[in-house]
Amino acid sequence: MRAVVQRVSEARVSVSGQVVGQIGAGLVILVCAMPDDTAETARALAAKIAKMRILADPDGKMNLSLLQTGGGALVVSQFTLAADTRRGNRPGFSAAAPPDLGRALYREFAAALRALGMPTETGRFGADMQVSLTNDGPITIWLDSDG
């Protein structure tokens, strides 16, 4: 799986003008499943992100994890993280998992965060979503699991 993690002071995702998920301080996590990913891959990536020490401590240093702060997670599916831009001007997305697998692993990833006790909101898989956020820092980190 691939993920882009952004530390935010607030974020929301809307579909057709209606807010379907929103958080205050925490992390926006854009995720993309790859064809060889499994439920274990999704759970392992969720655990890694939950423990990443990228949130500010009382001294303003990146020293706390989402698990420690109790902040929220807003999980948004984004198959475009699998973009292949090596040839031409139009990205290819064949490296992304097929939709049924992608949906299942997206749900597994969000469920794994919830199972860790994190308040977790989601977008809507496969929908045309509008994501609005205030990046805090800015802190943006890209992760790629080994499948």
Side-chain angles (χ1 to χ4, degrees):
M1 289 186 88
R2 290 186 178 160
V4 171
V5 179
Q6 296 178 295
R7 186 176 82 180
V8 301
S9 55
E10 62 181 356
R12 71 176 174 275
V13 61
S14 302
V15 176
S16 299
Q18 183 175 26
V19 175
V20 296
Q22 67 182 34
I23 61 169
L27 301 176
V28 169
I29 308 165
L30 307 174
V31 294
C32 175
M34 309 303 272
D36 293 334
D37 290 333
T38 64
E40 180 54 38
T41 307
R43 289 189 296 270
L45 185 60
K48 180 175 185 72
I49 291 171
K51 296 174 191 172
M52 285 179 54
R53 295 173 35 195
I54 60 172
L55 299 169
D57 67 13
D59 295 325
K61 295 183 180 179
M62 287 196 313
N63 202 27
L64 299 176
S65 70
L66 200 56
L67 282 174
Q68 293 170 306
T69 65
L74 178 58
V75 181
V76 178
S77 63
Q78 189 165 352
F79 76 93
T80 59
L81 293 178
D84 180 354
T85 59
R86 292 176 289 180
R87 292 187 303 191
N89 296 319
R90 182 179 175 153
F93 301 106
S94 61
D100 288 345
L101 177 60
R103 178 180 291 111
L105 294 176
Y106 168 71
R107 289 179 176 162
E108 183 69 31
F109 179 85
L113 291 175
R114 288 185 187 107
L116 292 168
M118 298 189 343
T120 303
E121 297 276 323
T122 63
R124 189 171 296 154
F125 186 90
D128 181 15
M129 296 175 277
Q130 292 71 51
V131 180
S132 175
L133 60 93
T134 302
N135 195 317
D136 181 21
I139 306 295
T140 302
I141 298 173
W142 175 76
L143 297 108
D144 197 3
S145 68
D146 294 327

